[in-house]
Amino acid sequence: EITKRADIVICAIGKRNFFSKEYFSSDAVVIDVGIHRLEDNLLCGDVFFKSVNEQVRALTPVPGGVGPLTIAQLLKNTMTLAKLQQAK
C-alpha cells in the first residue's frame, strides 16, 4: 500500500525481480538500485522490469540505470579526497 501511494519509489531490497506492477501507481517514478546476476548471466534489478515498465511514468533500467551515476560519484569523491590529501 505504501509504495502504491508514492510519487517516487527507490527500490533497493536485494531481491531480484521482487516488485511487480501491483506495487506502483501509474504516476510513479521508480528508481531501481538493485543489481542481480541471473542463471543465464544476464543482469536484473529488484523491479520486474517487463511487468512495471509500461505501468509507471518512468523506470530506471538494470543494467544502465543508476550504476553509471554511482561510479561517477565515487570517482568524484576519490578526486576530492586526493586533492584534500595533497593539500596537507
mmCIF file of all heavy atoms in Angstrom, residues 17-51:
data_model
loop_
_atom_site.group_PDB
_atom_site.id
_atom_site.type_symbol
_atom_site.label_atom_id
_atom_site.label_comp_id
_atom_site.label_asym_id
_atom_site.label_seq_id
_atom_site.Cartn_x
_atom_site.Cartn_y
_atom_site.Cartn_z
ATOM 1 N N ASN A 17 13.850 -9.076 -9.108
ATOM 2 C CA ASN A 17 12.509 -9.048 -9.712
ATOM 3 C C ASN A 17 11.383 -9.113 -8.676
ATOM 4 O O ASN A 17 10.314 -9.638 -8.958
ATOM 5 C CB ASN A 17 12.356 -10.193 -10.716
ATOM 6 C CG ASN A 17 13.220 -9.998 -11.930
ATOM 7 O OD1 ASN A 17 13.453 -8.882 -12.371
ATOM 8 N ND2 ASN A 17 13.721 -11.090 -12.491
ATOM 9 N N PHE A 18 11.604 -8.565 -7.500
ATOM 10 C CA PHE A 18 10.623 -8.645 -6.418
ATOM 11 C C PHE A 18 9.393 -7.780 -6.685
ATOM 12 O O PHE A 18 8.267 -8.218 -6.494
ATOM 13 C CB PHE A 18 11.271 -8.222 -5.099
ATOM 14 C CG PHE A 18 10.342 -8.266 -3.923
ATOM 15 C CD1 PHE A 18 10.128 -9.458 -3.250
ATOM 16 C CD2 PHE A 18 9.679 -7.130 -3.496
ATOM 17 C CE1 PHE A 18 9.269 -9.511 -2.168
ATOM 18 C CE2 PHE A 18 8.816 -7.170 -2.414
ATOM 19 C CZ PHE A 18 8.610 -8.364 -1.747
ATOM 20 N N PHE A 19 9.607 -6.546 -7.118
ATOM 21 C CA PHE A 19 8.499 -5.603 -7.282
ATOM 22 C C PHE A 19 7.840 -5.759 -8.649
ATOM 23 O O PHE A 19 8.489 -5.620 -9.671
ATOM 24 C CB PHE A 19 8.995 -4.158 -7.134
ATOM 25 C CG PHE A 19 9.461 -3.832 -5.749
ATOM 26 C CD1 PHE A 19 10.813 -3.856 -5.445
ATOM 27 C CD2 PHE A 19 8.562 -3.509 -4.752
ATOM 28 C CE1 PHE A 19 11.259 -3.555 -4.174
ATOM 29 C CE2 PHE A 19 8.996 -3.205 -3.476
ATOM 30 C CZ PHE A 19 10.349 -3.231 -3.185
ATOM 31 N N SER A 20 6.553 -6.017 -8.653
ATOM 32 C CA SER A 20 5.793 -6.100 -9.897
ATOM 33 C C SER A 20 4.877 -4.882 -9.997
ATOM 34 O O SER A 20 4.858 -4.027 -9.118
ATOM 35 C CB SER A 20 4.989 -7.403 -9.936
ATOM 36 O OG SER A 20 4.127 -7.466 -8.819
ATOM 37 N N LYS A 21 4.103 -4.804 -11.053
ATOM 38 C CA LYS A 21 3.296 -3.607 -11.318
ATOM 39 C C LYS A 21 2.272 -3.310 -10.225
ATOM 40 O O LYS A 21 1.863 -2.167 -10.070
ATOM 41 C CB LYS A 21 2.615 -3.710 -12.678
ATOM 42 C CG LYS A 21 1.584 -4.807 -12.788
ATOM 43 C CD LYS A 21 1.026 -4.848 -14.188
ATOM 44 C CE LYS A 21 -0.011 -5.951 -14.329
ATOM 45 N NZ LYS A 21 -0.573 -5.976 -15.666
ATOM 46 N N GLU A 22 1.885 -4.291 -9.448
ATOM 47 C CA GLU A 22 0.909 -4.080 -8.386
ATOM 48 C C GLU A 22 1.418 -3.144 -7.288
ATOM 49 O O GLU A 22 0.640 -2.612 -6.513
ATOM 50 C CB GLU A 22 0.493 -5.412 -7.761
ATOM 51 C CG GLU A 22 -0.317 -6.302 -8.673
ATOM 52 C CD GLU A 22 0.526 -7.037 -9.709
ATOM 53 O OE1 GLU A 22 1.740 -7.243 -9.475
ATOM 54 O OE2 GLU A 22 -0.024 -7.380 -10.759
ATOM 55 N N TYR A 23 2.715 -2.939 -7.219
ATOM 56 C CA TYR A 23 3.314 -2.112 -6.166
ATOM 57 C C TYR A 23 3.280 -0.615 -6.471
ATOM 58 O O TYR A 23 3.568 0.188 -5.585
ATOM 59 C CB TYR A 23 4.772 -2.529 -5.932
ATOM 60 C CG TYR A 23 4.911 -3.788 -5.132
ATOM 61 C CD1 TYR A 23 4.924 -5.028 -5.748
ATOM 62 C CD2 TYR A 23 5.032 -3.744 -3.750
ATOM 63 C CE1 TYR A 23 5.060 -6.195 -5.017
ATOM 64 C CE2 TYR A 23 5.172 -4.904 -3.006
ATOM 65 C CZ TYR A 23 5.184 -6.122 -3.648
ATOM 66 O OH TYR A 23 5.309 -7.270 -2.914
ATOM 67 N N PHE A 24 2.958 -0.220 -7.711
ATOM 68 C CA PHE A 24 3.122 1.172 -8.110
ATOM 69 C C PHE A 24 1.881 1.743 -8.780
ATOM 70 O O PHE A 24 1.138 1.034 -9.447
ATOM 71 C CB PHE A 24 4.307 1.296 -9.086
ATOM 72 C CG PHE A 24 5.550 0.615 -8.613
ATOM 73 C CD1 PHE A 24 5.962 -0.576 -9.177
ATOM 74 C CD2 PHE A 24 6.311 1.159 -7.595
ATOM 75 C CE1 PHE A 24 7.110 -1.214 -8.742
ATOM 76 C CE2 PHE A 24 7.459 0.533 -7.147
ATOM 77 C CZ PHE A 24 7.863 -0.655 -7.719
ATOM 78 N N SER A 25 1.721 3.053 -8.630
ATOM 79 C CA SER A 25 0.661 3.745 -9.358
ATOM 80 C C SER A 25 1.169 4.086 -10.760
ATOM 81 O O SER A 25 2.372 4.039 -11.023
ATOM 82 C CB SER A 25 0.267 5.031 -8.629
ATOM 83 O OG SER A 25 1.270 6.011 -8.792
ATOM 84 N N SER A 26 0.278 4.473 -11.620
ATOM 85 C CA SER A 26 0.670 4.803 -12.990
ATOM 86 C C SER A 26 1.470 6.108 -13.060
ATOM 87 O O SER A 26 2.145 6.366 -14.050
ATOM 88 C CB SER A 26 -0.564 4.892 -13.892
ATOM 89 O OG SER A 26 -1.444 5.882 -13.394
ATOM 90 N N ASP A 27 1.422 6.933 -12.028
ATOM 91 C CA ASP A 27 2.174 8.192 -11.995
ATOM 92 C C ASP A 27 3.535 8.059 -11.328
ATOM 93 O O ASP A 27 4.279 9.031 -11.224
ATOM 94 C CB ASP A 27 1.379 9.273 -11.256
ATOM 95 C CG ASP A 27 0.181 9.733 -12.057
ATOM 96 O OD1 ASP A 27 0.236 9.665 -13.298
ATOM 97 O OD2 ASP A 27 -0.809 10.160 -11.445
ATOM 98 N N ALA A 28 3.887 6.884 -10.861
ATOM 99 C CA ALA A 28 5.123 6.697 -10.095
ATOM 100 C C ALA A 28 6.373 6.781 -10.962
ATOM 101 O O ALA A 28 6.386 6.381 -12.125
ATOM 102 C CB ALA A 28 5.099 5.354 -9.383
ATOM 103 N N VAL A 29 7.428 7.317 -10.359
ATOM 104 C CA VAL A 29 8.780 7.270 -10.923
ATOM 105 C C VAL A 29 9.532 6.265 -10.058
ATOM 106 O O VAL A 29 9.628 6.426 -8.841
ATOM 107 C CB VAL A 29 9.456 8.652 -10.875
ATOM 108 C CG1 VAL A 29 10.905 8.561 -11.305
ATOM 109 C CG2 VAL A 29 8.692 9.636 -11.745
ATOM 110 N N VAL A 30 10.046 5.207 -10.679
ATOM 111 C CA VAL A 30 10.671 4.110 -9.942
ATOM 112 C C VAL A 30 12.163 4.062 -10.273
ATOM 113 O O VAL A 30 12.547 3.980 -11.439
ATOM 114 C CB VAL A 30 9.999 2.767 -10.284
ATOM 115 C CG1 VAL A 30 10.636 1.631 -9.494
ATOM 116 C CG2 VAL A 30 8.503 2.832 -10.024
ATOM 117 N N ILE A 31 12.979 4.130 -9.222
ATOM 118 C CA ILE A 31 14.428 4.067 -9.369
ATOM 119 C C ILE A 31 14.876 2.732 -8.795
ATOM 120 O O ILE A 31 14.762 2.489 -7.593
ATOM 121 C CB ILE A 31 15.108 5.250 -8.652
ATOM 122 C CG1 ILE A 31 14.595 6.565 -9.251
ATOM 123 C CG2 ILE A 31 16.631 5.138 -8.748
ATOM 124 C CD1 ILE A 31 14.988 7.798 -8.474
ATOM 125 N N ASP A 32 15.378 1.866 -9.656
ATOM 126 C CA ASP A 32 15.805 0.523 -9.257
ATOM 127 C C ASP A 32 17.305 0.536 -9.014
ATOM 128 O O ASP A 32 18.100 0.696 -9.936
ATOM 129 C CB ASP A 32 15.439 -0.484 -10.345
ATOM 130 C CG ASP A 32 15.607 -1.923 -9.904
ATOM 131 O OD1 ASP A 32 16.177 -2.158 -8.822
ATOM 132 O OD2 ASP A 32 15.169 -2.817 -10.654
ATOM 133 N N VAL A 33 17.698 0.368 -7.752
ATOM 134 C CA VAL A 33 19.115 0.402 -7.369
ATOM 135 C C VAL A 33 19.685 -1.013 -7.278
ATOM 136 O O VAL A 33 20.887 -1.214 -7.279
ATOM 137 C CB VAL A 33 19.285 1.155 -6.030
ATOM 138 C CG1 VAL A 33 20.725 1.232 -5.605
ATOM 139 C CG2 VAL A 33 18.706 2.567 -6.147
ATOM 140 N N GLY A 34 18.828 -2.014 -7.208
ATOM 141 C CA GLY A 34 19.293 -3.397 -7.060
ATOM 142 C C GLY A 34 19.967 -3.903 -8.321
ATOM 143 O O GLY A 34 19.673 -3.458 -9.430
ATOM 144 N N ILE A 35 20.895 -4.845 -8.135
ATOM 145 C CA ILE A 35 21.522 -5.496 -9.293
ATOM 146 C C ILE A 35 21.814 -6.947 -8.922
ATOM 147 O O ILE A 35 22.377 -7.232 -7.869
ATOM 148 C CB ILE A 35 22.776 -4.756 -9.778
ATOM 149 C CG1 ILE A 35 23.280 -5.362 -11.079
ATOM 150 C CG2 ILE A 35 23.857 -4.726 -8.719
ATOM 151 C CD1 ILE A 35 24.176 -4.450 -11.874
ATOM 152 N N HIS A 36 21.362 -7.837 -9.798
ATOM 153 C CA HIS A 36 21.488 -9.276 -9.563
ATOM 154 C C HIS A 36 21.884 -9.961 -10.871
ATOM 155 O O HIS A 36 21.440 -9.560 -11.943
ATOM 156 C CB HIS A 36 20.156 -9.867 -9.082
ATOM 157 C CG HIS A 36 19.542 -9.094 -7.960
ATOM 158 N ND1 HIS A 36 19.894 -9.291 -6.664
ATOM 159 C CD2 HIS A 36 18.614 -8.098 -7.960
ATOM 160 C CE1 HIS A 36 19.200 -8.463 -5.888
ATOM 161 N NE2 HIS A 36 18.423 -7.725 -6.661
ATOM 162 N N ARG A 37 22.682 -11.003 -10.753
ATOM 163 C CA ARG A 37 23.059 -11.794 -11.923
ATOM 164 C C ARG A 37 22.179 -13.037 -11.960
ATOM 165 O O ARG A 37 22.114 -13.794 -11.005
ATOM 166 C CB ARG A 37 24.529 -12.181 -11.865
ATOM 167 C CG ARG A 37 25.010 -12.818 -13.157
ATOM 168 C CD ARG A 37 26.517 -12.903 -13.251
ATOM 169 N NE ARG A 37 27.195 -11.621 -13.163
ATOM 170 C CZ ARG A 37 27.352 -10.750 -14.159
ATOM 171 N NH1 ARG A 37 26.832 -11.024 -15.338
ATOM 172 N NH2 ARG A 37 28.021 -9.638 -13.979
ATOM 173 N N LEU A 38 21.516 -13.246 -13.096
ATOM 174 C CA LEU A 38 20.650 -14.399 -13.285
ATOM 175 C C LEU A 38 21.467 -15.612 -13.723
ATOM 176 O O LEU A 38 22.653 -15.492 -14.056
ATOM 177 C CB LEU A 38 19.573 -14.085 -14.334
ATOM 178 C CG LEU A 38 18.635 -12.922 -13.991
ATOM 179 C CD1 LEU A 38 17.751 -12.590 -15.177
ATOM 180 C CD2 LEU A 38 17.802 -13.272 -12.761
ATOM 181 N N GLU A 39 20.814 -16.765 -13.748
ATOM 182 C CA GLU A 39 21.493 -18.005 -14.130
ATOM 183 C C GLU A 39 22.096 -17.937 -15.531
ATOM 184 O O GLU A 39 23.132 -18.522 -15.794
ATOM 185 C CB GLU A 39 20.514 -19.190 -14.053
ATOM 186 C CG GLU A 39 20.012 -19.504 -12.664
ATOM 187 C CD GLU A 39 18.898 -18.560 -12.201
ATOM 188 O OE1 GLU A 39 18.195 -17.965 -13.043
ATOM 189 O OE2 GLU A 39 18.749 -18.416 -10.976
ATOM 190 N N ASP A 40 21.447 -17.210 -16.436
ATOM 191 C CA ASP A 40 21.936 -17.095 -17.815
ATOM 192 C C ASP A 40 22.951 -15.959 -17.971
ATOM 193 O O ASP A 40 23.265 -15.539 -19.069
ATOM 194 C CB ASP A 40 20.781 -16.916 -18.790
ATOM 195 C CG ASP A 40 19.892 -15.722 -18.445
ATOM 196 O OD1 ASP A 40 20.228 -14.969 -17.511
ATOM 197 O OD2 ASP A 40 18.866 -15.556 -19.115
ATOM 198 N N ASN A 41 23.459 -15.442 -16.841
ATOM 199 C CA ASN A 41 24.497 -14.406 -16.788
ATOM 200 C C ASN A 41 23.984 -13.006 -17.122
ATOM 201 O O ASN A 41 24.761 -12.070 -17.191
ATOM 202 C CB ASN A 41 25.696 -14.764 -17.675
ATOM 203 C CG ASN A 41 26.995 -14.621 -16.927
ATOM 204 O OD1 ASN A 41 27.011 -14.592 -15.701
ATOM 205 N ND2 ASN A 41 28.073 -14.520 -17.649
ATOM 206 N N LEU A 42 22.685 -12.845 -17.349
ATOM 207 C CA LEU A 42 22.112 -11.521 -17.562
ATOM 208 C C LEU A 42 21.903 -10.838 -16.214
ATOM 209 O O LEU A 42 21.851 -11.491 -15.175
ATOM 210 C CB LEU A 42 20.781 -11.630 -18.306
ATOM 211 C CG LEU A 42 20.851 -12.151 -19.740
ATOM 212 C CD1 LEU A 42 19.453 -12.316 -20.311
ATOM 213 C CD2 LEU A 42 21.682 -11.237 -20.616
ATOM 214 N N LEU A 43 21.771 -9.515 -16.248
ATOM 215 C CA LEU A 43 21.555 -8.748 -15.028
ATOM 216 C C LEU A 43 20.103 -8.307 -14.919
ATOM 217 O O LEU A 43 19.442 -8.056 -15.927
ATOM 218 C CB LEU A 43 22.466 -7.514 -15.011
ATOM 219 C CG LEU A 43 23.964 -7.786 -15.011
ATOM 220 C CD1 LEU A 43 24.729 -6.471 -15.114
ATOM 221 C CD2 LEU A 43 24.380 -8.552 -13.780
ATOM 222 N N CYS A 44 19.617 -8.202 -13.691
ATOM 223 C CA CYS A 44 18.283 -7.662 -13.438
ATOM 224 C C CYS A 44 18.319 -6.895 -12.131
ATOM 225 O O CYS A 44 19.298 -6.950 -11.388
ATOM 226 C CB CYS A 44 17.232 -8.767 -13.388
ATOM 227 S SG CYS A 44 17.297 -9.784 -11.910
ATOM 228 N N GLY A 45 17.252 -6.176 -11.841
ATOM 229 C CA GLY A 45 17.177 -5.392 -10.619
ATOM 230 C C GLY A 45 16.166 -5.961 -9.642
ATOM 231 O O GLY A 45 15.710 -7.096 -9.771
ATOM 232 N N ASP A 46 15.806 -5.151 -8.663
ATOM 233 C CA ASP A 46 14.791 -5.531 -7.685
ATOM 234 C C ASP A 46 13.381 -5.400 -8.269
ATOM 235 O O ASP A 46 12.438 -5.970 -7.743
ATOM 236 C CB ASP A 46 14.885 -4.644 -6.445
ATOM 237 C CG ASP A 46 16.137 -4.908 -5.615
ATOM 238 O OD1 ASP A 46 16.809 -5.932 -5.850
ATOM 239 O OD2 ASP A 46 16.433 -4.099 -4.733
ATOM 240 N N VAL A 47 13.260 -4.642 -9.354
ATOM 241 C CA VAL A 47 11.969 -4.422 -10.012
ATOM 242 C C VAL A 47 11.867 -5.330 -11.241
ATOM 243 O O VAL A 47 12.800 -5.411 -12.039
ATOM 244 C CB VAL A 47 11.819 -2.945 -10.441
ATOM 245 C CG1 VAL A 47 10.514 -2.723 -11.186
ATOM 246 C CG2 VAL A 47 11.917 -2.023 -9.235
ATOM 247 N N PHE A 48 10.733 -6.013 -11.378
ATOM 248 C CA PHE A 48 10.490 -6.853 -12.552
ATOM 249 C C PHE A 48 10.167 -5.928 -13.720
ATOM 250 O O PHE A 48 9.031 -5.518 -13.933
ATOM 251 C CB PHE A 48 9.359 -7.836 -12.269
ATOM 252 C CG PHE A 48 9.122 -8.816 -13.374
ATOM 253 C CD1 PHE A 48 10.171 -9.427 -14.033
ATOM 254 C CD2 PHE A 48 7.842 -9.139 -13.750
ATOM 255 C CE1 PHE A 48 9.956 -10.334 -15.051
ATOM 256 C CE2 PHE A 48 7.598 -10.037 -14.764
ATOM 257 C CZ PHE A 48 8.662 -10.642 -15.417
ATOM 258 N N PHE A 49 11.208 -5.572 -14.474
ATOM 259 C CA PHE A 49 11.148 -4.517 -15.482
ATOM 260 C C PHE A 49 10.004 -4.709 -16.477
ATOM 261 O O PHE A 49 9.239 -3.770 -16.738
ATOM 262 C CB PHE A 49 12.489 -4.422 -16.218
ATOM 263 C CG PHE A 49 12.615 -3.209 -17.096
ATOM 264 C CD1 PHE A 49 13.083 -2.017 -16.581
ATOM 265 C CD2 PHE A 49 12.253 -3.255 -18.425
ATOM 266 C CE1 PHE A 49 13.194 -0.891 -17.376
ATOM 267 C CE2 PHE A 49 12.353 -2.135 -19.238
ATOM 268 C CZ PHE A 49 12.833 -0.942 -18.705
ATOM 269 N N LYS A 50 9.869 -5.900 -17.036
ATOM 270 C CA LYS A 50 8.842 -6.147 -18.061
ATOM 271 C C LYS A 50 7.432 -5.915 -17.526
ATOM 272 O O LYS A 50 6.556 -5.456 -18.254
ATOM 273 C CB LYS A 50 8.964 -7.565 -18.610
ATOM 274 C CG LYS A 50 10.192 -7.788 -19.447
ATOM 275 C CD LYS A 50 10.264 -9.219 -19.928
ATOM 276 C CE LYS A 50 11.542 -9.466 -20.692
ATOM 277 N NZ LYS A 50 11.688 -10.863 -21.094
ATOM 278 N N SER A 51 7.216 -6.205 -16.272
ATOM 279 C CA SER A 51 5.899 -6.040 -15.667
ATOM 280 C C SER A 51 5.600 -4.580 -15.333
ATOM 281 O O SER A 51 4.460 -4.141 -15.429
ATOM 282 C CB SER A 51 5.820 -6.874 -14.382
ATOM 283 O OG SER A 51 4.682 -6.556 -13.630
#
